[in-house]
Amino acid sequence: MNKDSKKLSIYKSFTNSKKYSIKWSSYFQVYEKILSDYKNKKIKFVEIGVANGGSLFMWKKYFGNKAKIIGIDLNPNAKKLEKNGFKIYIGNQSDKKFWDYFYKNEGKVDIILDDGGHKNLQQISTVHHSLPYIKDGGKIIVEDTGTSYVKKEFNNPSKYSFINYAKNVVDNIHRRSPLLKKKLNFYSKKIFLVEFFESIVVFSIDSRKCFENKEVANRAQNEWAIDYRHNEYFRELKTKFDKKYGLLNKRSFFRRIIRKIFYRNFIFNLLDNIKIKKILRDLDK
Ligand SMILES: C[S@@+](CC[C@H](N)C(=O)[O-])C[C@H]1O[C@@H](n2cnc3c(N)ncnc32)[C@H](O)[C@@H]1O
């Protein structure tokens, strides 16, 4: 753990919690980055996975007395923590009926953090069933997403891992781009931002910001710089051959043909892809 993390107020709240809790050392810097705006606000904060209650005390200390801290656990013993001022629900995070009951009782919440069972269906169900009930400006945070890469107990990596689901959410928020020519769905209408940290994924919810994207132009007129997107290989060739043979001179017929070929040619996609493959191979090292 780095020195700066140890100075964070969330870390102090963690170490001073009166009940036992375990969190990964990198999480505190992430918590501070994504949660500090909610301190001392009247929020409803929900954590799935209560265990001994240590993290509930940490959240209470961190967010302050105006925050309502709610815990969810499958273990009925967690209910005991109600005497410490927390609201506790006993239920299964993979069960839609539990979520229907929970949100019927609680109404919309600001933040839900999943530190429950960490299995694919558990994490995915939490996000999917909670999404309609997160207030604009709120967040869904899923912890320990490293389990998406772990075989033992979690049967991953798999097509159905939580991380693959989260990548699918990324695909879905792009429905807001007219380039996809797809209708907005319930994810693209609510999820404004997806952030991937090491072992934490954060979905920021804000339906006000999730509108269909459209091109807008400023008022300056009749200016249009040529986009050189497809000119890379053409430029390479030009510098090689032009000086020597003059074939690619401005008005040359040959130049026009070459340009056409360079614009839409699978060979150049292929060349791009070979370079991308090399980058991806380097990444794997
Ligand atoms: C890692 S512990 C939580 C630790 C706690 N948040 C802390 O920091 O001290 C995970 C908890 O999730 C609960 N859990 C496991 N599967 C669950 C499920 N399907 N629904 C609800 N809670 C579940 C377990 O009973 C356990 O108490």
Side-chain angles (χ1 to χ4, degrees):
M1 186 161 181
N2 61 19
K3 265 197 297 186
D4 290 341
S5 291
K6 285 186 180 165
K7 287 185 204 145
L8 297 172
S9 75
I10 183 72
Y11 184 66
K12 287 180 188 144
S13 307
F14 171 75
T15 47
N16 292 329
S17 172
K18 58 173 156 176
K19 297 269 182 188
Y20 183 77
S21 171
I22 306 180
K23 292 278 184 193
W24 295 95
S25 60
S26 66
Y27 286 9
F28 301 98
Q29 57 193 357
V30 179
Y31 292 152
E32 198 70 41
K33 180 174 167 55
I34 60 174
L35 296 173
S36 60
D37 283 351
Y38 301 91
K39 279 170 95 171
N40 302 315
K41 303 250 166 77
K42 194 171 176 275
I43 57 161
K44 258 189 202 181
F45 178 92
V46 185
E47 181 170 36
I48 303 149
V50 170
N52 297 280
S55 53
L56 296 183
F57 284 92
M58 170 180 86
W59 298 123
K60 187 77 197 166
K61 179 102 185 99
Y62 181 68
F63 289 117
N65 281 334
K66 283 192 228 155
K68 179 176 180 185
I69 309 292
I70 303 167
I72 296 174
D73 208 292
L74 200 50
N75 183 345
N77 283 334
K79 199 79 183 160
K80 287 182 194 153
L81 285 148
E82 289 208 323
K83 66 174 187 297
N84 296 95
F86 304 110
K87 174 80 189 157
I88 306 289
Y89 287 83
I90 303 302
N92 177 6
Q93 67 179 131
S94 305
D95 181 2
K96 182 183 181 305
K97 284 197 201 104
F98 166 71
W99 289 115
D100 289 344
Y101 165 78
F102 175 80
Y103 286 112
K104 197 163 170 244
N105 260 269
E106 281 300 329
K108 287 195 168 187
V109 306
D110 296 276
I111 300 164
I112 181 153
L113 182 144
D114 181 353
D115 185 21
H118 309 312
K119 284 163 65 177
N120 297 332
L121 179 65
Q122 293 168 335
Q123 294 174 327
I124 293 169
S125 304
T126 298
V127 179
H128 188 71
H129 298 308
S130 297
L131 190 53
Y133 302 100
I134 309 297
K135 290 183 198 167
D136 280 338
K139 292 190 192 300
I140 305 177
I141 302 160
V142 183
E143 278 189 8
D144 291 13
T145 55
T147 55
S148 279
Y149 304 91
V150 177
K151 177 98 197 122
K152 201 176 162 206
E153 282 193 83
F154 300 100
N155 283 317
N156 284 319
S158 133
K159 185 173 148 192
Y160 301 107
S161 73
F162 173 78
I163 286 290
N164 273 337
Y165 160 81
K167 289 179 188 168
N168 190 283
V169 175
V170 173
D171 296 340
N172 269 290
I173 67 172
H174 282 84
R175 283 172 179 248
R176 297 201 289 270
S177 162
L179 299 177
L180 266 72
K181 295 187 170 49
K182 280 195 164 175
K183 269 196 183 161
L184 297 198
N185 62 1
F186 131 71
Y187 281 50
S188 50
K189 282 183 190 167
K190 293 243 357 157
I191 302 172
F192 177 57
L193 168 72
V194 185
E195 288 167 287
F196 290 84
F197 299 89
E198 184 263 305
S199 290
I200 299 185
V201 176
V202 183
F203 303 91
S204 293
I205 312 306
D206 204 328
S207 57
R208 298 162 302 187
K209 295 180 180 169
C210 293
F211 44 83
E212 214 170 300
N213 203 0
K214 290 203 170 73
E215 232 170 26
V216 281
N218 66 5
R219 276 196 264 157
Q221 285 185 357
N222 300 327
E223 286 184 279
W224 185 245
I226 293 165
D227 187 334
Y228 267 48
R229 183 185 299 147
H230 299 292
N231 279 30
E232 298 161 311
Y233 292 109
F234 179 75
R235 280 172 66 82
E236 260 177 45
L237 208 71
K238 187 169 155 43
T239 42
K240 275 193 190 141
F241 291 94
D242 211 21
K243 274 185 211 145
K244 257 191 177 170
Y245 310 109
L247 282 174
L248 299 169
N249 283 340
K250 260 196 172 162
R251 271 182 286 277
S252 128
F253 172 69
F254 185 64
R255 176 189 166 110
R256 258 183 283 149
I257 301 208
I258 289 283
R259 234 184 217 289
K260 276 237 152 58
I261 295 172
F262 273 74
Y263 252 65
R264 292 177 209 282
N265 198 309
F266 81 98
I267 294 174
F268 302 106
N269 277 334
L270 210 73
L271 288 175
D272 275 1
N273 290 349
I274 289 170
K275 291 180 184 176
I276 294 168
K277 267 191 196 157
K278 187 180 172 319
I279 294 173
L280 295 177
R281 261 204 315 273
D282 288 350
L283 247 180
D284 255 353
K285 280 177 193 162

